[in-house]
């Protein structure tokens, strides 16, 4: 079964940290990314990472969030420091996955994990 499963969300106070994890059921093909969607807002890219560990971040999280990956474990992480109430959202993992027969399944989404930051 092709899937991404997020974990690590929760309720924290402003200024605290959380680490999100994303586990892929099969090999990750090149890029992965974290997105988030707050109530009443569109889903937005938070951070992305390529197979060569090239990264990009939304301006709103630069300097506070760090994306990383462990290809051997088919895992991706998002370290979130100095959290703000405006970071409150459901965070989703997104990736292209490769099956054992080399078929690439593009644009796979996890179900999301809730992050709530209180002021």
């Amino acid at each position: 079964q092709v899937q991404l499963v997020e974990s690590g969300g929760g309720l924290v106070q402003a200024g605290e940290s959380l680490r999100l994890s994303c586990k892929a059921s099969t090999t990750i093909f090149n890029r992965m990314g974290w997105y988030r969607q707050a109530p009443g807002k569109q889903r937005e890219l938070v951070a992305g990472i390529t197979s060569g560990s090239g990264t990009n971040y939304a301006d709103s999280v630069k300097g506070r969030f760090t994306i990383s990956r462990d290809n051997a474990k088919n895992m991706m992480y998002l370290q979130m420091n100095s959290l703000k109430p405006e970071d409150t959202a459901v965070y989703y993992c997104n990736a292209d996955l490769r099956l054992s027969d080399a078929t690439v399944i593009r644009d796979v989404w996890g179900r999301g994990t809730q992050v709530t930051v209180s002021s």
Side-chain angles (χ1 to χ4, degrees), residues 31-46:
R31 65 159 196 91
M32 294 186 81
W34 286 100
Y35 291 73
R36 67 186 181 188
Q37 187 166 19
K41 295 187 177 181
Q42 289 188 330
R43 190 172 297 187
E44 63 174 356
L45 175 67
V46 176

Side-chain angles (χ1 to χ4, degrees), residues 5-113:
V5 180
E6 303 97 336
S7 61
L11 171 63
V12 296
Q13 293 187 335
E16 294 184 339
S17 299
L18 279 175
R19 188 190 193 211
L20 304 184
S21 299
C22 174
K23 172 68 175 175
S25 60
T26 184
T27 304
I28 302 162
F29 182 77
N30 195 11
R31 65 159 196 91
M32 294 186 81
W34 286 100
Y35 291 73
R36 67 186 181 188
Q37 187 166 19
K41 295 187 177 181
Q42 289 188 330
R43 190 172 297 187
E44 63 174 356
L45 175 67
V46 176
I49 186 166
T50 67
S51 58
S53 297
T55 59
N56 62 287
Y57 296 92
D59 288 342
S60 59
V61 307
K62 283 181 180 177
R64 300 188 298 122
F65 290 12
T66 302
I67 189 171
S68 62
R69 63 191 287 170
D70 185 334
N71 293 328
K73 296 181 179 179
N74 295 334
M75 294 287 295
M76 179 176 67
Y77 307 96
L78 186 68
Q79 178 66 43
M80 305 186 295
N81 299 328
S82 302
L83 282 161
K84 304 176 180 180
E86 50 264 44
D87 295 318
T88 295
V90 178
Y91 284 70
Y92 297 91
C93 177
N94 176 263
D96 298 338
L97 301 181
R98 182 168 58 197
L99 305 180
S100 57
D101 65 358
T103 301
V104 176
I105 308 298
R106 298 194 182 274
D107 205 27
V108 179
W109 290 91
R111 292 187 175 182
T113 184

